[in-house]
Amino acid sequence: MSCSAGRWCMRADALLGVDGVHVSSVTATGTGLLLGVETGVDLAGCPDCGVVAVGHGRRQIGLHDIPCFGRPVRLLWAKRVWRCPDPDCPRATFTEEHPLAGPRAKLTTRAVCWATDALQRFDTSVSALAHQLGVSWHTVWDAIKAEATRRIKSSDRLAGVDALGVDEHVWAHTGPPGSGMVTGIVDHTRDDHGVVHARLLDLVPGRSGKAYADWLKARGPGFTAGIKTAALDPFRGYANAIRDELPEAITVLDAFHVVKLGSAMVDEVRRRVQQDTLGHRGRKGDPLYGIRRTLQIGAEHLTDKQSARLDAKLNAGDPDHEVTLAWQCYQKLRNIYHARPERGRELVTEVIASFPSCPIPEIARLGRTLKQWKTAILAYFDTNGASNGPTEAINGVIETTRRIARGFRNFTNYRLRCLLAAGGHRHYRIKQTNHAQIRRS
């Protein structure tokens, strides 16, 4: 070996950084770097009888390592072959085992960890990792799948969880309606500073109370007994699961979805009045159609120009003042979450007492819905502002993962990828409302 080649091998040794592995040759190819490597194991015992084995030559094994300088790196491992000298031993020959790579592996151990870490911490795709490693999609995913499964099965993933959030989303848009729905369970536990480091705990097929209840049952009483708060959207199936499996937990209806029910009510009234007065759907130039967005804005955020325009359009297109009343009810509903806890509780009582008896059917229907969820709405003030917001944040990460992957066809792979991306390896800090700091709006 020339001095120049020796220096390259020494540099490659430092670059490889694996104990007990020596680089014997470095070759630049059209597709990347090719490193010849040898391990420094001099003695080995037979795995069956323990007798010191005798060297029986080497076998060339091809492995793909992490990329270097933006180019794929391939290792030619001169793997030792050993022979057991004991004539009574059933094992004649065997190959050495080394942390460099597992049996029959195509990727080095650190390449597998590097690829799995990339899916955990960065918004990347399996195909991009396969391109960087110079292997096929199936080769890199098979290795990642085994490593990811090992990490997700960590025994302490569910330790210390005292608050949960639940929501549904669509993971596949093929097949019969509803067949692509899944239920996501998210950790809402706060730290000492009141910050939620949201993380996905699991995804289960189906959107039903049974799916959520079965998952809680499978976790065991040791887990469910520690849950103090359970946030959810206004879906009775999840509420029933919480009632049955988490009887000691406080059920909290998400504030965002409560306000969303109010905004939907305003839009329903506007569309009905539009049809009753003009006989057609909203068109450009129609008074109510022109303020459809403004009606969704909080009164405290309207400028003087917007307020004047809103009044003018309502006077022109709302002869019976139904839209006006619906908008005022919506603002009252919003004010629940902008007031101090004491005033917020009073507003909840006022809303639930007045809405169901309103002659406008959309407002009355909203009032009946809120009445059914009164306890869960009031729990917002008893839990220092708990909501399902962390769950919605995790849903955004899940949607990003699905978009990067160009969709999924296999639920097992989908669940694994989502748990890697949103399982807490990247911190999503969500500061919950502290009612001690709220001022009257």
Side-chain angles (χ1 to χ4, degrees):
M1 180 185 295
S2 65
C3 293
S4 177
R7 287 196 297 271
W8 273 107
C9 290
M10 291 176 62
R11 293 174 182 175
D13 276 339
L15 184 65
L16 191 62
V18 180
D19 293 337
V21 179
H22 168 67
V23 177
S24 59
S25 63
V26 180
T27 305
T29 65
T31 58
L33 296 178
L34 181 63
L35 306 183
V37 299
E38 297 178 356
T39 50
V41 179
D42 295 327
L43 293 176
C46 175
D48 285 352
C49 64
V51 174
V52 176
V54 178
H56 196 63
R58 292 179 181 269
R59 179 181 299 144
Q60 293 286 346
I61 302 295
L63 296 170
H64 292 266
D65 199 22
I66 60 176
C68 179
F69 306 117
R71 306 178 68 185
V73 175
R74 190 165 184 266
L75 307 182
L76 279 180
W77 180 14
K79 197 173 185 180
R80 290 179 180 270
V81 180
W82 303 94
R83 178 177 59 83
C84 180
D86 188 348
D88 298 327
C89 182
R91 185 182 293 266
T93 61
F94 60 93
T95 55
E96 67 173 312
E97 296 182 0
H98 195 277
L100 178 64
R104 301 182 182 277
K106 298 179 181 179
L107 302 177
T108 62
T109 302
R110 72 172 186 173
V112 175
C113 293
W114 172 82
T116 308
D117 289 343
L119 289 182
Q120 282 185 342
R121 297 179 172 86
F122 309 106
D123 294 324
T124 186
S125 63
V126 177
S127 58
L129 296 173
H131 175 74
Q132 295 178 70
L133 291 170
V135 297
S136 69
W137 186 95
H138 289 283
T139 296
V140 67
W141 176 247
D142 289 344
I144 291 174
K145 187 175 182 179
E147 173 64 15
T149 302
R150 183 190 65 81
R151 296 186 185 187
I152 289 171
K153 287 184 177 179
S154 174
S155 59
D156 60 347
R157 281 188 67 247
L158 301 180
V161 177
D162 63 11
L164 290 178
V166 62
D167 196 10
E168 80 286 343
H169 66 269
V170 181
W171 80 274
H173 294 273
T174 58
S179 60
M181 300 292 290
V182 295
T183 296
I185 299 98
V186 177
D187 178 16
H188 285 201
T189 304
R190 304 183 189 187
D191 61 15
D192 295 337
H193 304 286
V195 177
V196 176
H197 298 278
R199 61 191 182 101
L200 181 66
L201 297 179
D202 210 345
L203 290 171
V204 294
R207 176 191 182 260
S208 65
K210 183 178 184 304
Y212 191 25
D214 289 346
W215 185 86
L216 291 171
K217 287 179 183 178
R219 304 287 79 77
F223 173 79
T224 56
I227 305 301
K228 301 176 182 177
T229 305
L232 76 163
D233 301 345
F235 174 51
R236 186 56 62 182
Y238 293 152
N240 292 338
I242 294 172
R243 179 199 63 199
D244 296 338
E245 304 302 328
L246 301 174
E248 301 299 325
I250 300 175
T251 302
V252 184
L253 189 63
D254 183 48
F256 169 80
H257 286 85
V258 173
V259 176
K260 185 179 179 181
L261 290 174
S263 66
M265 175 270 297
V266 175
D267 212 40
E268 290 173 2
V269 175
R270 179 192 62 80
R271 289 198 299 268
R272 179 176 57 78
V273 173
Q274 168 81 29
Q275 288 283 352
D276 292 345
T277 55
L278 299 179
H280 58 73
R281 296 179 60 185
R283 300 173 184 172
K284 183 178 180 180
D286 292 343
L288 295 182
Y289 184 75
I291 57 172
R292 65 192 185 282
R293 303 300 182 197
T294 309
L295 289 170
Q296 307 297 320
I297 302 175
E300 70 277 9
H301 298 305
L302 293 175
T303 63
D304 293 339
K305 182 178 179 180
Q306 287 176 317
S307 297
R309 181 172 179 270
L310 182 64
D311 291 338
K313 295 292 185 180
L314 287 174
N315 289 332
D318 186 26
D320 297 327
H321 308 290
E322 290 183 281
V323 179
T324 303
L325 181 58
W327 184 76
Q328 292 173 350
C329 291
Y330 168 58
Q331 298 301 322
K332 192 171 186 178
L333 189 63
R334 289 184 74 258
N335 289 337
I336 291 175
Y337 299 102
H338 291 271
R340 293 181 179 274
E342 297 78 10
R343 177 55 182 159
R345 292 187 178 92
E346 294 176 1
L347 287 173
V348 172
T349 303
E350 293 176 10
V351 164
I352 293 177
S354 59
F355 280 20
S357 59
C358 182
I360 299 176
E362 292 84 358
I363 299 177
R365 184 170 62 250
L366 173 62
R368 291 192 295 270
T369 300
L370 297 178
K371 186 176 182 179
Q372 295 174 358
W373 292 93
K374 179 179 179 180
T375 303
I377 295 174
L378 289 172
Y380 173 84
F381 304 101
D382 300 327
T383 56
N384 198 21
S387 74
N388 218 20
T391 305
E392 300 297 339
I394 292 299
N395 277 346
V397 180
I398 292 174
E399 290 298 326
T400 299
T401 302
R402 187 162 62 89
R403 184 180 70 250
I404 290 172
R406 304 293 192 271
F408 288 84
R409 292 177 295 177
N410 185 300
F411 177 76
T412 301
N413 293 349
Y414 171 78
R415 174 179 176 272
L416 201 56
R417 284 288 305 277
C418 291
L419 287 173
L420 280 176
H425 306 285
R426 286 182 286 178
H427 291 298
Y428 303 96
R429 296 168 56 87
I430 302 173
K431 186 65 175 294
Q432 297 281 26
T433 304
N434 186 345
H435 284 291
Q437 300 173 355
I438 290 181
R439 295 182 178 180
R440 188 185 305 271
S441 59

